Amino acid sequence: MFWWRICKDAIPTFAMLAYRRLINHQRCPRGCSDTENTNHIIIRCGFIKKVFKLLEDWNFDIPEFNSVDDCYQVLSRLANSNPFLGNLICSVIYYCWNSRNQLVHGGCADSRYVIAYRAVIQSISSFKNGLIRENWDANQLFKLSKSSWLPPPPGWIKVNVDASIFPNNSTDIGGIFRDCKGRGLAAFGFHTIHWDIAQMELLAILSLRDHIKDWMLEAKGIVIEGDNLNVINIFQNALKKNKWIHEEFLNPKDLDFLHNFQHFIFSFVNRDCNKLANFCANYAHFSSFFWDDFSSRGVPPSILDLLKVESSCNN
Ligand SMILES: [Zn+2]
């Protein structure tokens, strides 16, 4: 619907609203000194340029286009040659507009990292048939499939977390940190007792503060991924609105440790993409652990096999 409106030049940009005398200015709300028209929101806006630049840093080969017509031509070419990339460009432009609307309506806009990451995830989920494409890393092939674990952007780390809940208030929490090539960096698991099941998935994320090491802070950013949609939503919404609307669950100070990272993103995945975190949680049933050397003898071979499968590295 958004793209249909763009084609009809029917997006309520400030230029359009001013033309209809509904507002008395036309400047881009993101602070560009330019008129906000359709051309601006697709190509000229300084913010969208930053998002495309970021995707280039993540090794996506974003083609240049200088006008809306140019953009249509690029997209129509990509429809045959690289539909994934075409879909990614469309998603970026859509999410930028969406976020611009939040800003205009009194909310807080998403960062370019959140938009770029979300657009990649969205585009991947649009290609359900397991297309193989070169992605984040030009040397690494992985399956673009809804059921595969996806590596974080280059230079970032990703941590998957999970909680396994048993009768009689027993819970095991586990997580695994990986780099952009899917290599295991560290894994942890511990046993605890719960009084409230809803809180356990929250605890899984909050427990990261005890397992993040100084060397991890060198990363360009961290993606925190879990398979409980409600919990991920709580964190995402709290960050987006820049206020803690779920204070009955969370104290803002609880997440101070994440601000040591340059950037952090919360991401939801289905259970199939969270198998290793689930494995760590189940393994913690026997005893608590923290591994940061996957070649050491204490690490069970089954986790190494799972790592290989999930990283989809063909080397
Ligand atoms: Zn702008």
Side-chain angles (χ1 to χ4, degrees), residues 27-36 40-41 44-48:
R27 284 245 303 278
C28 170
R30 292 192 188 272
C32 312
S33 54
D34 218 1
T35 298
E36 191 201 45
H40 185 84
I41 63 165
R44 303 252 172 259
C45 187
F47 182 79
I48 207 157

Side-chain angles (χ1 to χ4, degrees), residues 14 16 31-32 35-36 43 65 72 76 83 101 105 113 139-140 153 175 221 230 239 242 245 249 272 296:
F14 279 172
M16 183 208 252
C32 312
T35 298
E36 191 201 45
I43 301 150
F65 37 86
Y72 293 154
S76 105
N101 289 340
H105 298 296
Y113 294 92
N139 300 316
Q140 184 193 359
N230 293 334
L239 290 176
N242 217 8
I245 49 170
F249 296 118
D272 286 345
S296 79

Side-chain angles (χ1 to χ4, degrees), residues 177-247:
F177 294 83
R178 276 171 281 187
D179 69 6
C180 62
K181 299 208 187 267
R183 290 177 296 218
L185 299 173
F188 65 91
F190 61 94
H191 181 79
T192 184
I193 301 292
H194 75 82
W195 290 267
D196 179 359
I197 288 174
Q199 291 273 6
M200 279 305 99
E201 299 270 354
L202 278 173
L203 179 66
I205 291 178
L206 294 177
S207 72
L208 290 176
R209 80 191 128 192
D210 301 324
H211 299 105
I212 285 172
K213 306 295 171 197
D214 284 348
W215 54 265
M216 295 177 185
L217 304 177
E218 308 280 314
K220 289 183 182 165
I222 185 168
V223 180
I224 298 148
E225 198 162 77
D227 58 29
N228 184 312
L229 185 58
N230 293 334
V231 168
I232 295 297
N233 276 341
I234 285 174
F235 285 102
Q236 281 177 342
N237 289 335
L239 290 176
K240 198 156 50 180
K241 291 180 179 153
N242 217 8
K243 64 179 181 188
W244 294 87
I245 49 170
H246 290 276
E247 283 189 20

